Amino acid sequence: MEESGRGRCRRRAERGTAGTTSYAEPIGTEQSPADTSRRVARLLTEVLAPSVLAGALPFVIAVHAAGALWTGLAWGLLASAFSTLIPYSMIWWGVRKGHLSDRHIGRREQRTKPLVRGLACVLIGLALLLVLHAPRELVALVVAHFLGGLAATVVNHFWKLSVHAAVASGTMMVLAVAFGPALLATAVLVVAVGWSRVRLRDHTTAQVVAGTILGVLTTGLAFALLR
């Protein structure tokens, strides 16, 4: 009886140890290639979102045009506030109130009003820049952003064009015009953005290609002609 009791104790200890070991092993931590690519696509969509690119570009162009860091940053802040910060704050508020599906406005039927409000903000900012005699290159950028946004608004009223791709390609062209053809290498970012939108199934390939072309022909071309 004593040996039997000791045996039962040993078996209980072994079962406890085995149970502890099994919990220590990672369960379900392996990710499939599809999960990884989706995570990368989500990261690219967020890091290279229109709000990020359109918000940062005025600072780059303003410093370049002003030739002085702090003066350029001040001009960039003014331009970015009306072309990006205020419009996207309104989008964020719409999402918070439940009026919009998400901050990227994935539903085409929800896009027109936020885009129109954003265009109105850009016009106010443009008026301020003109009154305050902002650098010409910065004014050209804001006008280019307005024309690109206007074209995207018109198209999105009928068809869900990729604004991500449009802003990315427009940004690429502006940088190439301002700093030289070497900046056309940023086309890799345009491709990355387009891939992410298709991978997340937020857009079709056709919608991404159309957005890319629109950004080049509106924002890029307008900046080149007006600067």
Side-chain angles (χ1 to χ4, degrees), residues 87-142:
Y88 279 94
S89 293
M90 290 190 292
I91 291 174
W92 175 83
W93 182 251
V95 173
R96 183 181 177 87
K97 300 295 289 184
H99 301 151
L100 300 174
S101 59
D102 60 273
R103 61 182 177 278
H104 298 306
I105 318 180
R107 296 181 181 177
R108 180 190 61 79
E109 64 274 12
Q110 294 180 348
R111 289 186 164 196
T112 301
K113 288 183 179 180
L115 288 174
V116 169
R117 294 191 192 105
L119 291 175
C121 287
V122 174
L123 286 178
I124 294 173
L126 178 60
L128 287 173
L129 292 173
L130 291 173
V131 169
L132 296 174
H133 304 289
R136 180 181 178 88
E137 201 169 31
L138 181 60
V139 173
L141 173 65
V142 175

Side-chain angles (χ1 to χ4, degrees), residues 25-48:
E25 293 175 355
I27 300 175
T29 57
E30 294 184 1
Q31 294 181 359
S32 68
D35 292 335
T36 301
S37 68
R38 187 172 179 83
R39 285 178 178 272
V40 172
R42 175 57 61 190
L43 178 64
L44 290 171
T45 282
E46 298 298 338
V47 172
L48 300 175

Side-chain angles (χ1 to χ4, degrees), residues 112-182:
T112 301
K113 288 183 179 180
L115 288 174
V116 169
R117 294 191 192 105
L119 291 175
C121 287
V122 174
L123 286 178
I124 294 173
L126 178 60
L128 287 173
L129 292 173
L130 291 173
V131 169
L132 296 174
H133 304 289
R136 180 181 178 88
E137 201 169 31
L138 181 60
V139 173
L141 173 65
V142 175
V143 172
H145 272 165
F146 175 80
L147 293 176
L150 179 61
T153 300
V154 172
V155 174
N156 269 287
H157 187 70
F158 304 98
W159 189 54
K160 189 185 172 184
L161 175 141
S162 175
V163 176
H164 274 74
V167 173
S169 64
T171 300
M172 173 196 69
M173 291 302 298
V174 168
L175 291 174
V177 170
F179 297 98

Side-chain angles (χ1 to χ4, degrees), residues 185-221:
T186 55
V188 67
L189 299 180
V190 180
V191 174
V193 169
W195 170 81
S196 73
R197 304 307 287 155
V198 175
R199 177 64 186 85
L200 294 173
R201 298 182 179 178
D202 289 326
H203 287 285
T204 64
T205 300
Q207 291 167 344
V208 166
V209 171
T212 302
I213 295 173
L214 183 73
V216 171
L217 295 181
T218 54
T219 303
L221 184 59

